Amino acid sequence: MEQFSFSYQKTTVAELPTTIQHLIQASEDVARHAYAPYSNFKVGAAALLAGGSTMVCANHENASYPAGTCAERGLLAHINPTEADQQINAIAVSYISDAKTQTPLSPCGICRQTILEQQLAQNAPIAIYMCSTDGHVIYVEDATHLLPFYFSSKNLEL
Ligand code: THU
């Protein structure tokens, strides 16, 4: 049998470097502006770009439910991974909800696929900080860790 394994870190916002604390704060701030009247589950995503700037996006729902967009995919839609200063070093994801659990939010399957497209196109790993509502964070240093056996452009090569 072959084996796939990866390391992740369970930590708190307070223990992370200041740059990442700011990134997480940016994701929390934008979550407040989410348009999520149907689920009332407000998600904020923030990307730290290689050029030093931060981009943010929140989820945007629709009465036709499948037309809604996750925060992470809204964020990535604005970024061109082949432009050096738009390469993403890290993404933080936070949320606001009345749900029972406060567990860190990890990106949904479609968002994992989208983040991976960005990582493969920029040819550099994207660190992902998944945040709870009470200051806990799970961190992986590479998007492939969230989606082993991913589908990619390689599968489409003729
Ligand atoms: N959502 C995100 O924005 N990102 C995720 O990774 C998980 C789910 C949104 C979609 C929908 O608007 C709401 O959260 C509830 O699923």
Side-chain angles (χ1 to χ4, degrees), residues 8-147:
Y8 63 95
Q9 196 185 353
K10 271 179 145 177
T11 184
T12 61
V13 178
E15 287 169 295
L16 288 164
T18 321
T19 332
I20 302 302
Q21 288 188 21
H22 289 156
L23 188 69
I24 291 172
Q25 185 64 54
S27 70
E28 288 172 358
D29 290 346
V30 74
R32 286 193 209 105
H33 301 288
Y35 177 68
Y38 303 104
S39 70
N40 207 26
F41 192 85
K42 297 181 168 194
V43 183
L48 178 61
L49 303 188
S53 58
T54 297
M55 286 183 71
V56 296
C57 192
N59 54 333
H60 192 98
E61 297 185 345
N62 193 286
S64 171
Y65 296 174
T69 317
C70 289
E72 299 93 317
R73 269 177 296 141
L75 175 68
L76 289 159
H78 296 291
I79 296 173
N80 182 338
T82 57
E83 287 178 23
D85 63 345
Q86 291 209 12
Q87 293 190 0
I88 300 178
N89 291 339
I91 293 177
V93 189
S94 299
Y95 68 103
I96 302 164
S97 106
D98 294 328
K100 272 180 257 162
T101 175
Q102 298 184 315
T103 191
L105 169 66
S106 84
C108 80
I110 304 175
C111 290
R112 291 174 193 215
Q113 179 71 31
T114 310
I115 294 168
L116 207 48
E117 178 80 17
Q118 168 83 26
Q119 175 169 307
L120 294 170
Q122 71 178 33
N123 198 23
I126 300 176
I128 303 176
Y129 294 86
M130 298 165 275
C131 305
S132 73
T133 50
D134 61 356
H136 290 91
V137 179
I138 293 178
Y139 157 70
V140 294
E141 57 192 7
D142 188 308
T144 59
H145 296 171
L146 296 182
L147 195 63

